[in-house]
Amino acid sequence: MNKFCELTRSYSLPVSIAPFLAAFCFAVKTSFFIDVVFCTNTLLLFISVVLLHLGYNLFDDYIDIK
């Protein structure tokens, strides 16, 4: 399990999360209303950004090792 965490390079997650947080803050500031749909979509988008980042790092390292 430790090797899996090492291959995903989770220490670089702030690099992909920072632009998401900046866009989220901008959207909240300029939005006229915030409802349940907005919050749900934001949460799903955040999860997908993190999973795509970790998945791509894992795939890249797999290709390098292979």
Side-chain angles (χ1 to χ4, degrees):
M1 184 67 176
N2 189 22
K3 191 68 169 169
F4 175 78
C5 292
E6 184 179 325
L7 288 177
T8 59
R9 290 182 273 164
S10 58
Y11 57 84
S12 63
L13 273 177
V15 175
S16 65
I17 293 174
F20 171 81
L21 290 177
F24 174 71
C25 291
F26 181 72
V28 167
K29 186 173 181 175
T30 60
S31 179
F32 292 112
F33 60 91
I34 298 175
D35 57 353
V36 175
V37 174
F38 178 80
C39 293
T40 305
N41 288 341
T42 302
L43 180 63
L44 290 174
L45 183 62
F46 178 74
I47 291 169
S48 65
V49 164
V50 169
L51 290 178
L52 283 171
H53 178 87
L54 293 176
Y56 184 77
N57 283 342
L58 184 63
F59 178 72
D60 184 47
D61 284 346
Y62 174 75
I63 295 297
D64 290 344
I65 290 172
K66 189 174 179 184

